[in-house]
Amino acid sequence: MDIFEAIKGRRSCRKYLPDPVDDSSLEQILDAAVWAPSPANNQPWEFIVIRDKDVRERIYRECNACKKILFEKSGWKWVDKYRLNFLQEAPVIIAVIGDPQKTGADMFLEGGGSAYQHACTAAIQNMLLAAHTLGLGTLWFTLFDQEITKSILHVNPAKDLIALVCLGKPGTEPMQTPRTPAREKTEYI
């Protein structure tokens, strides 16, 4: 699969088979992550691989509580209908942790200090594409309470939980979503 096929073929997966993810595939996916670009090559990411069913269940319950708060505050009807079962189903969840101390020179600029987050998201994209090329499904998930979820995972309070990446064999064909053509989102000056 070439890179353009991988980019256009990858979709978010919200239904997983219970089959385990083999160590070799997991290692390839994490290796792809660390090849992402980062400011001053600080590599501000860390990963927690969550296979433990009880920990995944605790994350699921916390995210459901967070979802209820979001629904109450927003009133968005889709939020109430959004099911988080994939957090229980995915045999692996990878927590992506970012270290603000490794942000690079932007920490000295007004309003700076966020480049480490961008580097972590580049690592996430590499994981998603690597998993797709290995026939695995993924979901980049961010609907969680930062502090509570960090506590569940014993993350250093000085670091940020950037995202949870659900990983496993797809239980259904992921939904194809349309994209706005690049020319409609691009300005040349």
Side-chain angles (χ1 to χ4, degrees), residues 35-114:
W35 281 97
S38 64
N41 195 32
N42 280 331
Q43 302 175 42
W45 44 70
E46 296 171 15
F47 309 101
I48 300 172
V49 175
I50 306 155
R51 287 182 162 152
D52 184 273
K53 187 174 183 167
D54 293 334
V55 175
R56 292 191 336 260
E57 183 63 31
R58 287 179 65 200
I59 291 170
Y60 168 77
R61 287 194 312 266
E62 186 286 316
C63 291
N64 257 322
C66 187
K67 181 185 91 159
K68 288 179 184 179
I69 292 168
L70 175 61
F71 174 66
E72 290 168 6
K73 288 186 175 188
S74 71
W76 296 339
K77 294 191 184 341
W78 71 266
V79 173
D80 191 43
K81 295 176 184 168
Y82 189 60
R83 298 292 168 245
L84 303 178
N85 298 20
F86 48 82
L87 291 167
Q88 297 168 305
E89 294 172 355
V92 174
I93 297 175
I94 302 172
V96 180
I97 313 302
D99 187 346
Q101 297 303 310
K102 294 183 177 181
T103 194
D106 73 317
M107 72 172 62
F108 300 107
L109 300 174
E110 183 70 30
S114 63

